[in-house]
């Protein structure tokens, strides 16, 4: 059976790694409003605040506090068993936890460990804090470096590739996302209506789009996903 599995992940998959989600209790949006830090207008109005917000998250991400959890490892096992032609992972997460376990993924909302120059569009690896004094390594402009992050009102990356993968999917799995942010929230509809996929959601609670899935598996992904992956692989003689 040559079924194609497409996976979408959100902040919930990294919660058990110690990274805060956005909209849950104690989420990032409790301390900041979206308009304050996650729009281009916010960056123009108050770049110091936006830099502080992302610098702090980047510092936490590269600290010893944070590492991939069993859900990231389970997805990697699925990738290793299926191979690149039958597997596609798109993440809304800007962390690098899928990358750390070796799973190829498309970061549709950008990457915290990259920066970009507004002047010349160069994208570069970034571990250090950014400030309004930072200078572009390429065009040497000062003050125009920003996090390589997709803010509200900006177009997510790789949309053409993502929609083409959804249209070929036989199984669509959504893990740890609230289903409140578009276009990711409509991937389930695309996978189902265009790809004809069976759709499964992993989340600690019901979401506004749970109704669109064929099955919802409730619980922390680090606990529910590894067993589900084992069962899936055993059923197909891949484990
Ligand atoms: C667990 C768990 C555990 C907890 N195990 N689960 C009106 C209607 C419709 C759309 C719009 C509208 N007005 C504007 C729009 C568009 C807008 C939008 O969606 N706005 C909504 C607020 C309505 N979208 C955009 O602007 C996007 N661009 C766009 O649409 O361009 C047009 C276009 C698209 C396509 C083609 C052509 C043109 C851009 C969106 C950018 C989002 N950016 C952010 C922030 C930047 C990154 C950062 O700072 O880190 O990305 S917002 C934030 O939300 C972040 C996330 O990636 C994104 C999604 O959040 P996520 O991952 O779902 O996290 P939470 O916290 O919401 O949920 C966590 C879930 O996990 C919960 O359900 C928990 O229960 C669960 N969970 N622990 C399993 N252990």
């Amino acid at each position: 059976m040559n079924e194609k599995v497409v996976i979408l992940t959100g902040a919930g998959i990294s919660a058990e790694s110690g990274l805060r989600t956005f909209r849950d209790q104690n989420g990032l949006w409790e301390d900041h409003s979206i308009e304050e830090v996650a729009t281009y207008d916010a960056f123009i109005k108050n770049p110091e605040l936006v830099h502080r917000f992302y610098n702090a998250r980047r510092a936490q991400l590269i600290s010893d506090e944070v590492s991939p959890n069993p859900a990231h490892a389970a997805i990697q096992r699925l990738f290793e068993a299926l191979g690149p032609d039958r597997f596609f992972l798109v993440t809304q997460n800007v962390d690098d936890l899928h990358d750390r376990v070796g799973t190829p993924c498309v970061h549709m909302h950008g990457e915290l460990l990259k920066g970009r120059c507004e002047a010349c569009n160069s994208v570069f690896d970034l571990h250090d804090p950014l400030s309004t004094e930072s200078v572009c390594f390429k065009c040497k402009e000062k003050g125009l470096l920003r996090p390589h992050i997709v803010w509200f009102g900006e177009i997510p990356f790789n949309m053409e590739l993502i929609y083409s993968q959804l249209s070929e999917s036989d199984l669509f799995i959504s893990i740890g996302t609230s289903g409140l942010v578009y276009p990711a929230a409509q991937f389930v509809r695309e996978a189902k209506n265009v790809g004809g996929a069976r759709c499964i959601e992993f989340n600690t609670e019901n979401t506004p789009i749970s109704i669109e899935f064929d099955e919802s598996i409730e619980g922390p992904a680090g606990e529910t996903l590894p067993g589900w992956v084992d069962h899936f692989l055993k059923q197909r003689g891949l484990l």
Side-chain angles (χ1 to χ4, degrees), residues 11 16 22-23 54 57 92 109 150 153-154 177-178 182 203 221:
E16 291 156 81
F22 295 91
R23 296 168 184 82
Y54 287 100
R57 289 173 56 200
Q92 296 169 88
H109 289 165
V150 178
E154 297 182 325
T177 177
S178 57
Y182 290 83
N203 202 301

Side-chain angles (χ1 to χ4, degrees), residues 130-149:
L130 278 181
S131 79
T132 49
E133 296 299 306
S134 303
V135 172
C136 176
F137 75 98
K138 198 157 181 205
C139 71
K140 311 296 179 206
E141 284 283 343
K142 188 170 101 173
L144 291 174
L145 298 187
R146 58 170 280 181
H148 188 48
I149 298 280

Side-chain angles (χ1 to χ4, degrees), residues 50-72:
V50 174
H51 281 316
R52 251 198 326 274
F53 177 67
Y54 287 100
N55 287 343
R57 289 173 56 200
R58 190 178 310 109
Q60 188 204 8
L61 180 59
I62 59 180
S63 76
D64 293 343
E65 275 173 44
V66 175
S67 57
N69 69 57
H72 298 101

